[in-house]
Amino acid sequence: RLPESNTETEVPLSLGSAGVALDAETQVSQIQQALVNNLHWVQGKDEQFANAHDYYTALAHSVRNQLLKKRIRTAKTYAEAKAKNVYYLSAEFLMGRQLGNGLINLGMYDTMRHALADCGLDLDELLEREAEPGLGNGGLGRLAACFMDSLTTLNLPAIGYGIRYEFGIFTQLIRQGHQVEAPDKWLSYGNPWEIARPDYRVEIKFGGHTEVYKKDGDDDYQVRWIQAQTVIGIPHDVPVPGYGTDNVNLLRLWKAEAGEAFDLDAFNAGDYFGAVANKMISENITKVLYPNDETRQGKELRLQQQYFFVACSLQDIIRLHLRDHSNLGNLAEFSAIQLNDTHPAIGVAELMRLLIDEYSFEWAAAWQITQRTFGYTNHTLMPEALEKWSVDLFGKLLPRHLEIIYEINHRFLAQVKLRYPNDPDRLERLSLIEEGGERRVRMANLACVGSHAINGVAALHTELLKQEVLQDFYELWPDKFSNKTNGITPRRWLLQCNPRLAQLISETIGDSWITNLDDLKQLEAHLDDEAFRHAWQAIKQENKWSLARYIHDAVGIEVNPDSMFDVQIKRIHEYKRQLMNVLHVITLYNRMVQNPGDHVVPRTVIFGGKAAPGYAMAKLVVKLINAVADVVNNDPSVNGRLKVVFLPNYNVSQAQRLFPASDLSEQISTAGMEASGTGNMKFALNGALTIGTLDGANVEIREEVGADNFFLFGLTTEQVAACKAVGHNPWYYYDTNPELKRTLDVIASGLFSPGEPDLFLPILDSLLVDDPYMVMADFAAYVQCQEHVSRTYEDRDRWVRMAILNTARIGKFSADRTIADYAREIWKVKAVPVAGE
Ligand code: GL4
């Protein structure tokens, strides 16, 4: 039922752009024409042989063509405007699937669905064919992706720079309840969204030594770096659409390839295999994403990855600057480079090296340009995440950078000494080099010294940065510090993932919320409209039914869509306290076994999340969740009133199914440990209520939605600190709380580990020996708060009102607001809108 293909080279689709509005019939037939052209001329197949993947690829190319058309005009507009650009440097971009998002942002989604249905194709089915680009671990990488969406939607000229990992975050399998990792071969069917740009290749040096020399006709000495190895960086560009705009920005990801000159030596010496081996070593740099969140991996390859993508990006930024300007003296006026955590912090030393060694700037001038150009965002208070590289390793891999860091440090500490003449401890703490034991380069200190702006990602987190982790820097430069509370894109996290709710909202208050999320406030005026509340509830119910089907297909568990969907989805980490959640589940189970006749509010407790492969305790928690699920789900006396689900391989695509179907959002980290959280925002936006501690952005979410519409429990940051100061005694809680005692005893009894009675001993030990995450201390308050949650859920009308208020009052957490704040206060960049066709 598709038309004949034609040989026009330009696909004649012109939807979503301002200007000529085609009538619906013409639009549909043009979409079908584009699709068949791409099927034939991109995939080289016709309808007789094409499979779903071919149709997906053809469709992706149709959307990509629209994006590229806009991109070409965007590039022209930006070049003419000579405007200031944002360069967002991040080792992770967790973009999620591109096709659905591209269709939404281009305004083509409904027309496309219709056009495909008209020729017997199901859009949803094709969307499922796309491999998820999992180029990040969790919140930090996903934040970078939300920021790209908002940067473009706000028409800000921006490039996201990162790494094109051949293998993204591992695929999580569950075997006998244990996590097993499998490689993520996301590129095996090709990637229609990227364009390789070998013409913008750059050369990156590694290793070797430095030497002093005199430039011709110059009296001054210069330093040059004689490398041991050269690696080539090839940029791969992914177009990033915004919502309702003709601007299209770029995500530019670097792939490492072997540098030829070096291979040739070995080749000419007759060492053919040696030459090829060298090629493999180079290409390893961008092979695989390190799967740790909140822990550092002190591996040489990780430092190579960091330097590689930063050095590639800085060369690219300089190339772009020199295209429009005669020299680099005004770089900071036209470029704002943001460091997404310390992973790209080596950029400070690399820009200094480029300016001084390659472009002959004096130190002072180079330093001023560098500081004015960089901004640094800190994303965690966890000490195990603070990056420190051994001076030995650093000097071996980046000898010139180590010299430059020593020089930065020397000048910096001289300045500190002037201000604090008799304070050697402070000097020691501020130093870029950690002494005592193995000397190490402190990347957070390098980032602080080399940036003009330092920010945290939620109000509480920024305060704790100022008081604790970065206190000395705050005392030195209070004006450098500011808070930028995280946000999420309403496009992917409501419009795309929850179309039914999005439609109800737009029918009720119009669709301005899509780009101005504060407009959701207007929903409050409809709170007393019974029909509206019913419609709201019916949508949640439909979403729960569809999640129930998904759960059944994924893990074979039958869940009751009328039960409360109680959801905790995030990386598995002790501080996030999935363990406390499971202990609550076991407690509910114990009650059912002991008092089978008691009335209970039925719950489905859903978990999703990956554990770092080397994080034994987190993996054991995954096993415990699955073991508890096995017992609870198969005990007839429970009678379906409690179900436990661990969904394997939590990722962005799965998240898009989970948030819209959730009733209760678990945000239960130990106070003072979660920098912000962003899943908390996605739940509330989709009308789930939060049970949470006063941690990260929870504090501000509660402020916005109102204390009455948030289930708060647990110790505060100050109380946690006070408790630890006097010596926290977990046994006290075991001895005085009979339900908690029973819960731990049941685990110890081996009920959840038949044949392996000692399996969960490390968990019990951790709880009873030092309980660093205060699970024992917060448990009673958590259980009590959960009872309050259950009682509230029984009053369904009250619950729906609270849910509506959560959605209505969550506008602050749009990434559009976050990005507007960065743009105004840190980057000083202005919008450059691209004119419609
Ligand atoms: C994180 C924080 O843990 C998380 O709270 C925050 O929301 C996110 C984005 O700012 O950054 N830091 C690291 S490391 N991983 C994260 O997800």
Side-chain angles (χ1 to χ4, degrees):
R1 300 243 264 108
L2 284 165
E4 290 296 300
S5 61
N6 63 36
T7 50
E8 280 176 47
T9 44
E10 197 197 325
V11 181
L13 251 157
S14 56
L15 290 158
S17 44
V20 268
L22 300 170
D23 65 84
E25 216 172 300
T26 319
Q27 282 185 10
V28 165
S29 72
Q30 288 199 353
I31 284 176
Q32 292 171 344
Q33 185 69 61
L35 184 72
V36 80
N37 283 359
N38 288 333
L39 190 64
H40 293 186
W41 314 134
V42 176
Q43 286 305 88
K45 287 197 186 174
D46 70 4
E47 295 86 319
Q48 190 191 342
F49 293 106
N51 55 33
H53 173 260
D54 297 315
Y55 281 109
Y56 157 72
T57 307
L59 184 52
H61 274 269
S62 294
V63 171
R64 168 180 140 149
N65 286 338
Q66 295 311 299
L67 296 177
L68 294 182
K69 229 199 262 183
K70 291 187 176 203
R71 173 60 204 173
I72 288 164
R73 283 190 289 128
T74 303
K76 250 188 213 138
T77 308
Y78 288 172
E80 282 161 14
K82 292 199 195 310
K84 188 168 183 179
N85 281 260
V86 178
Y87 301 113
Y88 197 80
L89 265 55
S90 180
E92 305 186 5
F93 285 92
L94 194 46
M95 298 296 283
R97 288 175 175 156
Q98 296 301 292
L99 178 54
N101 181 248
L103 286 169
I104 293 260
N105 276 8
L106 289 166
M108 296 172 57
Y109 196 89
D110 292 333
T111 317
M112 182 62 78
R113 170 183 298 285
H114 172 192
L116 291 175
D118 186 56
C119 45
L121 293 166
D122 178 17
L123 176 57
D124 290 334
E125 198 191 309
L126 298 188
L127 293 175
E128 284 300 313
R129 298 287 148 179
E130 181 170 349
E132 171 160 326
L135 308 187
N137 273 288
L140 174 143
R142 181 55 228 176
L143 184 77
C146 283
F147 279 6
M148 291 308 297
D149 184 278
S150 286
L151 279 162
T152 312
T153 300
L154 295 175
N155 298 326
L156 296 168
I159 299 180
Y161 282 111
I163 299 174
R164 181 184 176 278
Y165 299 105
E166 189 177 329
F167 298 98
I169 187 67
F170 64 86
T171 300
Q172 179 194 51
L173 309 170
I174 301 296
R175 295 277 177 268
Q176 273 101 44
H178 291 279
Q179 168 175 302
V180 172
E181 300 90 21
D184 163 46
K185 300 184 189 161
W186 73 289
L187 289 169
S188 57
Y189 281 79
N191 177 7
W193 302 103
E194 67 180 13
I195 299 180
R197 301 269 183 219
D199 45 330
Y200 296 145
R201 69 194 11 224
V202 294
E203 282 191 15
I204 303 301
K205 307 184 202 184
F206 284 101
H209 62 278
T210 64
E211 61 187 31
V212 173
Y213 71 106
K214 254 187 189 173
K215 255 193 180 162
D216 294 344
D218 202 333
D219 290 339
D220 290 343
Y221 286 101
Q222 291 270 110
V223 180
R224 69 180 158 213
W225 174 15
I226 313 296
Q227 78 274 30
Q229 195 194 348
T230 305
V231 178
I232 305 295
I234 310 283
H236 287 61
D237 289 352
V238 180
V240 179
Y243 183 80
T245 173
D246 283 297
N247 290 47
V248 169
N249 282 319
L250 288 185
L251 176 61
R252 182 160 278 176
L253 302 178
W254 298 97
K255 174 178 194 283
E257 290 189 0
E260 250 179 78
F262 218 73
D263 293 348
L264 271 181
D265 284 349
F267 189 73
N268 289 336
D271 184 8
Y272 173 75
F273 279 93
V276 175
N278 180 291
K279 181 172 153 64
M280 295 189 323
I281 290 166
S282 301
E283 293 179 353
N284 269 341
I285 292 177
T286 54
K287 259 300 163 222
V288 58
L289 168 74
Y290 278 99
N292 313 299
D293 188 65
E294 307 262 0
T295 45
R296 94 193 114 82
Q297 190 53 277
K299 292 273 173 12
E300 177 172 358
L301 182 60
R302 171 74 173 176
L303 182 57
Q304 286 179 5
Q305 289 185 337
Q306 295 183 351
Y307 176 65
F308 170 75
F309 99 87
V310 168
C312 287
S313 307
L314 283 173
Q315 280 193 46
D316 202 55
I317 290 166
I318 287 175
R319 173 183 62 81
L320 290 167
H321 184 86
L322 292 179
R323 200 179 61 184
D324 296 336
H325 306 274
S326 60
N327 67 76
L328 294 173
N330 58 356
L331 181 70
E333 280 94 283
F334 292 94
S335 311
I337 304 180
Q338 193 65 25
L339 302 172
N340 197 25
D341 215 279
T342 55
H343 316 145
I346 184 63
V348 170
E350 172 67 359
L351 183 56
M352 286 298 284
R353 185 191 72 82
L354 289 165
L355 291 171
I356 291 169
D357 294 355
E358 312 272 338
Y359 292 92
S360 305
F361 278 80
E362 297 289 339
W363 183 279
W367 187 238
Q368 202 176 54
I369 293 169
T370 299
Q371 275 192 321
R372 286 182 183 177
T373 303
F374 283 106
Y376 160 51
T377 306
N378 173 289
H379 290 270
T380 179
L381 299 159
M382 303 288 287
E384 55 267 44
L386 281 185
E387 292 194 296
K388 296 167 189 176
W389 293 105
S390 101
V391 163
D392 268 4
L393 171 62
F394 216 98
K396 205 180 83 188
L397 207 63
L398 304 169
R400 180 58 180 141
H401 298 78
L402 188 58
E403 291 173 3
I404 289 172
I405 287 170
Y406 282 149
E407 181 65 21
I408 295 173
N409 201 32
H410 177 73
R411 290 167 185 250
F412 168 57
L413 293 181
Q415 192 193 322
V416 176
K417 232 176 277 178
L418 285 178
R419 223 168 107 200
Y420 301 97
N422 300 307
D423 198 345
D425 290 351
R426 183 184 299 264
L427 244 58
E428 191 278 315
R429 294 193 303 268
L430 283 167
S431 174
L432 304 194
I433 308 295
E434 183 175 275
E435 312 277 346
E438 200 191 15
R439 301 175 73 228
R440 298 192 291 179
V441 182
R442 294 167 165 157
M443 301 309 276
N445 296 34
L446 177 62
C448 284
V449 172
S451 301
H452 68 282
I454 302 167
N455 74 281
V457 291
L460 173 65
H461 169 235
T462 301
E463 284 314 305
L464 294 173
L465 275 183
K466 294 198 265 188
Q467 290 163 25
E468 281 153 35
V469 187
L470 301 179
Q471 186 195 358
D472 294 305
F473 287 100
Y474 179 61
E475 286 172 11
L476 204 53
W477 301 309
D479 295 343
K480 276 196 190 185
F481 284 74
S482 75
N483 175 245
K484 298 285 170 286
T485 298
N486 282 167
I488 57 171
T489 169
R491 273 71 67 182
R492 185 176 293 264
W493 297 115
L494 178 52
L495 184 59
Q496 189 186 343
C497 75
N498 200 344
R500 292 184 269 246
L501 190 63
Q503 194 187 340
L504 174 66
I505 292 172
S506 293
E507 281 166 7
T508 309
I509 61 168
D511 64 5
S512 63
W513 61 270
I514 299 169
T515 49
N516 187 2
L517 203 63
D518 282 323
D519 286 352
L520 289 178
K521 287 229 153 62
Q522 295 164 27
L523 289 173
E524 285 192 44
H526 301 267
L527 202 59
D528 291 327
D529 175 346
E530 199 181 324
F532 176 68
R533 291 200 309 278
H534 277 153
W536 187 282
Q537 197 181 343
I539 286 165
K540 180 65 79 180
Q541 210 49 43
E542 277 185 72
N543 291 343
K544 287 169 73 175
W545 273 102
S546 91
L547 180 62
R549 282 189 291 273
Y550 175 78
I551 289 173
H552 187 260
D553 292 348
V555 292
I557 299 173
E558 194 112 17
V559 304
N560 171 11
D562 293 322
S563 65
M564 181 202 308
F565 280 14
D566 170 352
V567 183
Q568 188 171 21
I569 41 177
K570 50 182 80 230
R571 288 299 290 250
I572 312 290
H573 205 299
E574 286 167 286
Y575 84 81
K576 296 177 190 282
R577 300 200 292 193
Q578 282 91 356
L579 179 55
M580 191 166 70
N581 189 342
V582 202
L583 296 184
H584 173 242
V585 170
I586 298 171
T587 303
L588 293 180
Y589 176 65
N590 289 341
R591 287 181 188 172
M592 289 182 192
V593 171
Q594 289 210 315
N595 308 301
D598 278 5
H599 165 76
V600 294
V601 179
R603 284 196 194 221
T604 301
V605 184
I606 301 169
F607 294 86
K610 295 177 185 180
Y615 190 170
M617 192 60 88
K619 290 178 121 173
L620 197 53
V621 169
V622 171
K623 170 65 186 172
L624 179 61
I625 295 168
N626 282 296
V628 169
D630 266 353
V631 171
V632 170
N633 296 346
N634 298 307
D635 186 331
S637 71
V638 170
N639 197 15
R641 294 172 299 170
L642 180 62
K643 282 275 161 80
V644 182
V645 177
F646 186 94
L647 272 178
N649 204 39
Y650 177 61
N651 60 12
V652 174
S653 314
Q654 210 179 75
Q656 290 174 215
R657 299 175 180 274
L658 285 159
F659 290 115
S662 296
D663 294 308
L664 186 65
S665 157
E666 298 271 354
Q667 307 301 333
I668 59 178
S669 51
T670 317
M673 296 208 166
E674 188 71 90
S676 162
T678 44
N680 46 4
M681 303 166 187
K682 294 163 197 169
F683 276 111
L685 181 61
N686 285 277
L689 304 188
T690 305
I691 180 167
T693 49
L694 281 179
D695 200 16
N698 295 354
V699 177
E700 291 158 82
I701 291 175
R702 178 167 172 269
E703 248 164 49
E704 293 292 309
V705 305
D708 293 348
N709 303 300
F710 187 106
F711 298 102
L712 178 69
F713 76 95
L715 299 175
T716 62
T717 307
E718 294 77 26
Q719 287 167 340
V720 168
C723 217
K724 286 188 174 171
V726 299
H728 167 49
N729 174 18
W731 278 104
Y732 168 80
Y733 303 94
Y734 178 83
D735 289 334
T736 56
N737 182 341
E739 272 205 314
L740 175 55
K741 178 174 187 303
R742 195 176 312 129
T743 294
L744 298 198
D745 290 349
V746 170
I747 298 174
S749 77
L751 177 66
F752 304 117
S753 49
E756 292 174 276
D758 295 345
L759 183 63
F760 297 118
L761 273 189
I763 287 180
L764 296 170
D765 273 357
S766 146
L767 288 171
L768 290 167
V769 174
D770 51 358
D771 187 27
Y773 302 97
M774 311 303 269
V775 171
M776 301 294 285
D778 269 343
F779 184 75
Y782 178 57
V783 170
Q784 204 185 4
C785 191
Q786 287 285 23
E787 278 158 23
H788 182 42
V789 169
S790 286
R791 267 179 276 121
T792 310
Y793 192 71
E794 276 194 301
D795 182 351
R796 211 53 64 87
D797 195 55
R798 165 137 181 256
W799 186 279
V800 174
R801 284 170 183 269
M802 291 168 74
I804 293 169
L805 286 176
N806 266 262
T807 303
R809 297 175 177 175
I810 206 70
K812 169 176 170 184
F813 304 97
S814 169
D816 298 345
R817 186 272 312 152
T818 311
I819 286 298
D821 289 350
Y822 275 97
R824 194 176 55 253
E825 294 164 19
I826 296 180
W827 302 329
K828 320 280 186 211
V829 293
K830 294 238 143 52
V832 180
V834 172
E837 261 181 313

